[in-house]
Amino acid sequence: MTDHNRQLAALFHDIALMYRFQDGKNQFRALAYDKASRIMRDLPEDVEQYLKEETLTEIPGIGESIAHDITEFIKKGRVQRFEDLKEEVPYELMELMDIRGFGPQSLKQIHSRLKLETKDEVVGALQSGAIGKLKGFGKKKVDGMLRSLKVHKTIEERMLLWDALKAGENL
């Protein structure tokens, strides 16, 4: 996977999470960006090649809007849609949505009731019992969230096979 493809896959994944965090009004956009993320990850060539050949929209799952985002990223190194969404949602909490037990509704409640903005603040509130005092966050749910965080940390410390192969080739 090329750097452009990897960066766009991560960016589109984050955009999908932010759309999911919003009140479901953009559920189809979330699905589209999730799909675009997988497409970028699986593209056989660098996406810049498709841009040069003007064949972006010929890739199944890449419509005009996402093609515009890809073009903007390649030319400017950023995507305005992403920047705008970061202003609307607590972006630093989005990485928690990839962890079991931290869905958009749970994070929305934690954010709105406790005004927490970062993963570290949420972890601290879980450990101190502040989240357990919220309605809908009983002991079982809080214990599950803490367990999921521990498992996620272990997984983060592992190296992906792709990265290991790349490192091995460089050696």
Side-chain angles (χ1 to χ4, degrees), residues 60-142:
I62 303 296
E64 293 292 329
S65 181
I66 293 174
H68 176 269
D69 291 346
I70 293 169
T71 303
E72 185 178 11
F73 180 81
I74 299 295
K75 290 183 177 179
K76 298 180 181 177
R78 64 176 183 78
V79 175
Q80 189 60 46
R81 179 185 321 273
F82 175 72
E83 300 302 324
D84 293 343
L85 283 167
K86 278 175 53 177
E87 298 296 319
E88 295 176 25
V89 301
Y91 176 67
E92 292 188 37
L93 291 180
M94 294 303 103
E95 69 179 291
L96 288 171
M97 286 179 55
D98 285 330
I99 302 172
R100 185 178 184 167
F102 292 91
Q105 298 305 318
S106 295
L107 283 176
K108 236 183 280 191
Q109 286 185 41
I110 291 168
H111 173 68
S112 66
R113 293 182 183 172
L114 298 177
K115 307 299 183 218
L116 303 180
E117 298 282 333
T118 67
K119 177 182 177 180
D120 291 337
E121 290 174 349
V122 171
V123 171
L126 278 167
Q127 292 170 338
S128 72
I131 290 177
K133 294 175 184 171
L134 297 175
K135 183 179 179 183
F137 290 87
K139 180 174 175 25
K140 187 175 179 181
K141 182 169 178 95
V142 170

